[in-house]
Amino acid sequence: MYDFDELTAFADVMTTGSLTRSAQKLGLAKSTLSRRISQLETRLNQPLLRRQANRLIPTEAGLLFHNYCTELLAMAAHSQEALAELREEISGEITLEVHGALARSWLASAIDAFLNRHPKVELTLHTRETPPTKMHSNSVHVWLGPTHECGLNQERLGHLSRGLYASPRYLAAAGTPHHPNELNQHAWIDLLGTASDGLLLTHSEHGQYTFNPPHSRLRVDITTLHIDAIARSQGIGLLSHWLTAKREQHHPGELINCLPGWEPVPLPITLLYAYGHQTRRTHALLEFLRSQVPAPWRTSPATV
């Protein structure tokens, strides 16, 4: 086994070429530094340094061993850093940004479990309906919808399948459509123009149909308001099956899938975070979010 004090002494003298300068730098007596190098040479049974004029230079063995010495010292430093971090408690401030459609339906109760597990973490929770473009190392975002290259690590958590919904009262008054080509006869409730360029609907038995929504008299930019407007009989709109099922648990019978089987491409759910080394609290939050992904999200988009 190597003595790391001896390795440090040798590596520093290799840099300075002087016992005096290295002793001053390391805060050691010159005799102590000289003894450590002598002990290392005895251990290796090879001379590592020789004097030339007023400078110490490496022997052939010294040049060869210096590469290994540097690697050993680097590995020792990395191991100490890793162990020191392991001893640290998970604490400090962290920010979690969640798409507004998911914040209450998914994380409202689950986040308490994270805080109880890590009592020294301070969490700031933001909801937003626009994707981030940059984030600091102690920030995590959960986005619902298509993503683009934004300089962040993008990790897919799952997908939300969607369908066309209306309230029973609206359908009783306006009639129930039996094919997407009848949707133009109905009021359309829009969420930030998500279907303004046409909506491709697919049915496992009846093929595909591109629906171009009529002008919407009510346009909203928050998912909760979108669901509320459809539940209040304002018209037909595109909703996530999972989000609608969560609402139905508290308000049963308010919403009906009025064209079952006709669905657009599912929406991806993506975990966004900064590249590079993650702090322990960020790593803990990422692991927690992964563990909280509902089973329906994991359904392959090809089968929903």
Side-chain angles (χ1 to χ4, degrees), residues 112-119 284 288 291-292:
D112 291 338
F114 176 77
L115 293 174
N116 291 336
R117 189 179 304 173
H118 306 291
F288 175 78
S291 72
Q292 296 298 310

Side-chain angles (χ1 to χ4, degrees), residues 122-136:
E122 296 180 17
L123 177 71
T124 299
L125 178 61
H126 292 298
T127 61
R128 58 187 293 171
E129 307 262 346
T130 56
T133 55
K134 62 180 180 178
M135 305 175 74
H136 56 74

Side-chain angles (χ1 to χ4, degrees), residues 216-288:
S216 176
R217 293 183 57 235
L218 176 61
R219 295 177 296 278
V220 297
D221 63 353
I222 298 176
T223 305
T224 303
L225 296 178
H226 187 222
I227 297 177
D228 286 344
I230 297 171
R232 291 198 311 270
S233 306
Q234 293 294 318
I236 296 175
L238 188 63
L239 298 177
S240 153
H241 295 314
W242 184 79
L243 288 171
T244 305
K246 298 289 285 187
R247 182 187 175 96
E248 283 287 292
Q249 292 175 3
H250 303 284
H251 307 282
E254 279 194 348
L255 295 165
I256 294 177
N257 185 352
C258 57
L259 276 172
W262 287 99
E263 298 185 359
V265 174
L267 287 177
I269 304 168
T270 309
L271 195 57
L272 301 169
Y273 51 94
Y275 283 106
H277 175 73
Q278 303 295 334
T279 62
R280 291 201 72 205
R281 58 187 180 275
T282 302
H283 180 74
L285 180 57
L286 289 171
E287 286 298 304
F288 175 78

